[in-house]
Amino acid sequence: LGRVSAEEPLAPRIVDAGRGGEILVSSALRRLAENTADVAFGEEREVDLKVLSGTHTVHAVAWECAP
């Protein structure tokens, strides 16, 4: 078996927390990408994620559709 990331169980729940056309990422992914010039982040918010207790901080990825 391969190594399982601690973030992996969060991924489908973070996707479910998104609104139409929105891309959300965990705080861990945001920290990894914060110095990447071609990735920008919009609003940060606290969400309740199904099956996981408490609130979790997620970050919106700022993006636009290509013409």
Side-chain angles (χ1 to χ4, degrees):
L1 294 175
R3 183 170 176 248
V4 177
S5 166
E7 291 295 309
E8 195 167 352
L10 291 177
R13 289 160 180 86
I14 292 172
V15 169
D16 288 344
R19 301 172 189 135
E22 183 176 47
I23 300 169
L24 297 177
V25 298
S26 67
S27 292
L29 186 55
R30 165 101 170 63
R31 284 191 301 276
L32 288 171
E34 68 187 356
N35 294 322
T36 305
D38 58 345
V39 178
F41 296 93
E43 68 178 87
E44 168 187 309
R45 68 178 187 265
E46 296 292 317
V47 296
D48 291 315
L49 300 176
K50 294 178 184 179
V51 185
L52 301 172
S53 62
T55 59
H56 302 268
T57 304
V58 295
H59 305 267
V61 176
W63 68 281
E64 295 180 15
C65 289

